[in-house]
Amino acid sequence: MPPIILICSQDAELYLLLAHILRSEGFEARLAASDDDVAAACASAELSAVVLDCAGWPSDVAPLCALLKGSGLPVGALIGGDMRAEHLQLIKAGLDEGITRPLSPSKLLAFLHGISPMSEASTLPNFAAVAELVFGPRAVVVSGKRIALAPIEMRILRFLLERQGQISTREQLIEAVWPDPDTVESRTVDVHIGRLRKAFAGLRTLRIRTVYGAGYVLDYHDH
């Protein structure tokens, strides 16, 4: 059975376009045009991910995103260039990937192809003995502990790890990690760093330090 992607949109033409693109890549699209549609789809279908079209959605998308994340679903959002405040609220609500309009199908598909079946993700701890830090499709294993991360946070972690011990400025992170760096504000970086710190809270082997006025440094000790 192909992975089912719920498209939350009130734009019928956009849905038909996305359904065609997804079908050609082995996905099946379902449409939800209201919060009630979303609730019904979550209750009746085995969804693999949700794509929120923020333009024209009849209610506040941040609580909807939080609800979907609470259900354990990966969430991507189509964001207009004039929606930076909404984008930040979505990030705080747990958004996995923001895809800036005009829509780039390749960025949407990169997000969806990054979603792995739970059966694959559940095998990750088996590799923990090989190395202290293991990257999987949607999670990392640090000191034997599996930690689920959003794709954007996975890319931030990789970048910081490659430069461990060195200061990485917000500007460097934005250029290296985001597909559309011109649309990203430094505060957005801080929110994602905060989410990474929360995810790694309690681990002694990995820490992200703030160097005030400069940027961030990752300290990692594999023992």
Side-chain angles (χ1 to χ4, degrees):
M1 182 177 175
I4 299 171
I5 311 300
L6 187 67
I7 308 294
C8 304
S9 179
Q10 294 210 319
D11 185 337
E13 289 187 8
L14 175 68
Y15 169 72
L16 291 172
L17 172 64
L18 291 178
H20 174 73
I21 293 170
L22 295 182
R23 199 176 303 114
S24 68
E25 292 288 325
F27 298 99
E28 180 183 335
R30 299 274 178 87
L31 176 64
S34 68
D35 288 357
D36 288 343
D37 286 352
V38 175
C42 289
S44 64
E46 190 66 36
L47 302 175
S48 293
V50 179
V51 175
L52 291 173
D53 176 19
C54 296
W57 190 253
S59 65
D60 189 352
V61 288
L64 181 61
C65 178
L67 181 69
L68 291 165
K69 290 303 298 176
S71 301
L73 288 166
V75 179
L78 307 183
I79 308 287
D82 58 346
M83 300 180 67
R84 291 187 177 184
E86 291 90 339
H87 191 186
L88 202 59
Q89 290 302 314
L90 284 166
I91 292 170
K92 290 178 178 177
L95 182 71
D96 293 295
E97 192 83 61
I99 301 157
T100 309
R101 285 175 171 272
L103 174 66
S104 167
S106 61
K107 289 170 188 168
L108 174 62
L109 292 171
F111 162 62
L112 295 177
H113 283 305
I115 297 163
S116 65
M118 287 307 294
S119 58
E120 181 183 345
S122 66
T123 65
L124 281 175
N126 296 339
F127 299 103
V130 179
E132 287 291 318
L133 198 154
V134 180
F135 281 87
R138 283 178 53 208
V140 293
V141 176
V142 186
S143 301
K145 181 181 178 183
R146 181 184 182 277
I147 300 170
L149 293 177
I152 201 83
E153 280 140 29
M154 194 86 77
R155 295 199 291 268
I156 290 172
L157 179 61
R158 281 185 184 275
F159 182 78
L160 291 174
L161 190 63
E162 289 168 2
R163 295 168 51 83
Q164 63 174 300
Q166 303 177 50
I167 296 172
S168 296
T169 67
R170 291 171 179 82
E171 291 75 18
Q172 287 173 327
L173 281 163
I174 290 169
E175 286 292 332
V177 171
W178 271 267
D180 300 299
D182 292 341
T183 67
V184 182
E185 297 175 342
S186 60
R187 190 179 167 205
T188 303
V189 178
D190 297 339
V191 172
H192 283 292
I193 292 289
R195 284 174 58 175
L196 278 171
R197 282 177 170 153
K198 187 176 180 181
F200 295 122
L203 290 176
R204 296 179 180 178
T205 53
L206 192 151
R207 185 167 70 107
I208 299 173
R209 289 188 290 117
T210 299
V211 180
Y212 289 100
Y216 296 103
V217 175
L218 183 139
D219 297 322
Y220 174 61
H221 308 285
D222 60 357
H223 57 275

